[in-house]
Amino acid sequence: MIHTYSGETIRFEVTHKKRTSIGLSMDQYGNVDVLAPKGTSDERVLQILEENWDLIQEKSKEMKDRMLGPKEKVYEHGEKFLYLGNAYPIQIVHDENIQQDHAVFEGNKLHIYVKQLDDEKIKQALKRFYYQQCKTIVEKSIKSYQSNFKTKPRSVRIVDSKKNWGTCDANLQLTFNWKLAMAPLKVIEYVVVHEMCHMVHLNHDRSFWRLVGKIMPGYKEQENWLAVSSWKMTV
């Protein structure tokens, strides 16, 4: 079925089941599935769709963008990069007199100072910024949650990984992906708590997840952010 509202059109299917309320879900292509109680009128279904129209459009766009994959970044004024969960434009500052290329976050912009106007130089300055921010936030989070654990990590490293957001080995060495600096603060804290819990339980058994849930009751929301949005975390 098709419905147009506020100039936008969506495709949806309605399934009537033995239930007490109307539920909405979306497939990977942005099509909406409506689960409705038996006897629900078409008018009521359309009313629910229109009441949730903005959210449906937002999720549909997100699904389509995700299917297309991350766009190739350009290193020029105005290009946006994630930092702590929000997208901010970069501002390139060319200064031959600076000691080292670097980036700072100021005034809702990522200011990147470089000696040469070169894409690779700009990219590396931005990556160093993320490394530094990730290290600072991770170390602060470890201190914040340390009271929940009897043992302490022996070392903490920030690494470039294509597989993991964080790891903990048998020697209590913790590692974290520098790209975490692009995620919301609560997501970073979740990854820190997750790996610290591995200092107690090296596997993902029930005891492990009980400990995670005890320390961070809303951790599934943070897991979901990584599952849905991590593809955007590119430099």
Side-chain angles (χ1 to χ4, degrees):
M1 301 176 69
I2 296 176
H3 183 54
T4 301
Y5 179 72
S6 295
E8 299 287 346
T9 299
I10 63 167
R11 294 182 178 275
F12 69 99
E13 295 292 336
V14 182
T15 303
H16 292 90
K17 290 188 173 183
K18 186 178 180 181
R19 51 185 293 138
T20 59
S21 61
I22 296 178
L24 303 177
S25 63
M26 186 175 292
D27 66 19
Q28 61 179 324
Y29 303 105
N31 299 317
V32 178
D33 294 318
V34 182
L35 295 177
K38 292 181 179 180
T40 302
S41 67
D42 291 344
E43 290 78 11
R44 177 57 179 159
V45 169
L46 295 181
Q47 180 186 2
I48 291 295
L49 288 174
E50 292 175 4
E51 287 175 356
N52 293 275
W53 201 257
D54 290 344
L55 180 59
I56 290 171
Q57 292 300 320
E58 179 185 339
K59 293 298 181 183
S60 178
K61 183 179 184 304
E62 190 174 281
M63 292 287 188
K64 292 173 183 176
D65 287 346
R66 188 178 182 186
M67 285 184 64
L68 292 173
K71 296 179 181 178
E72 185 175 350
K73 294 291 188 179
V74 294
Y75 299 92
E76 58 186 34
H77 296 312
E79 180 77 350
K80 291 186 176 181
F81 290 82
L82 281 177
Y83 174 53
L84 296 182
N86 295 311
Y88 297 104
I90 60 173
Q91 183 75 29
I92 311 299
V93 182
H94 180 210
D95 185 352
E96 296 178 354
N97 297 315
I98 61 173
Q99 291 185 346
Q100 183 181 21
D101 297 343
H102 65 281
V104 295
F105 178 69
E106 193 173 66
N108 286 332
K109 286 185 179 180
L110 288 163
H111 298 264
I112 305 176
Y113 296 82
V114 289
K115 292 182 179 182
Q116 301 175 33
L117 287 176
D118 176 82
D119 284 358
E120 187 60 28
K121 300 289 186 182
I122 295 169
K123 179 179 180 179
Q124 292 305 317
L126 188 56
K127 283 182 67 173
R128 282 195 296 272
F129 168 80
Y130 285 126
Y131 265 96
Q132 293 163 359
Q133 295 302 309
C134 184
K135 185 175 187 295
T136 298
I137 295 169
V138 162
E139 290 178 348
K140 184 177 179 180
S141 297
I142 289 173
K143 288 181 180 178
S144 177
Y145 287 98
Q146 185 58 62
S147 61
N148 295 282
F149 302 92
K150 293 181 180 179
T151 55
K152 293 183 178 181
R154 291 186 179 176
S155 67
V156 178
R157 294 189 305 144
I158 308 302
V159 300
D160 190 348
S161 173
K162 294 182 179 180
K163 295 182 178 180
N164 303 305
W165 294 115
T167 63
C168 172
D169 65 20
N171 294 318
L172 305 184
Q173 295 174 327
L174 306 185
T175 63
F176 297 93
N177 192 325
W178 64 268
K179 287 186 178 180
L180 282 173
M182 299 184 194
L185 181 59
K186 204 66 181 176
V187 172
I188 303 173
E189 291 180 350
Y190 160 65
V191 176
V192 168
V193 168
H194 184 113
E195 299 310 327
M196 292 182 77
C197 286
H198 278 312
M199 297 190 304
V200 183
H201 306 283
L202 276 176
N203 54 24
H204 289 98
D205 61 11
R206 290 184 179 181
S207 297
F208 169 82
W209 289 113
R210 277 198 297 268
L211 182 57
V212 174
K214 179 181 178 181
I215 298 171
M216 185 173 281
Y219 76 88
K220 288 187 177 181
E221 182 180 346
Q222 318 312 326
E223 273 194 331
N224 184 64
W225 190 95
L226 283 172
V228 172
S229 302
S230 60
W231 64 274
K232 302 176 186 178
M233 297 161 69
T234 59
V235 172

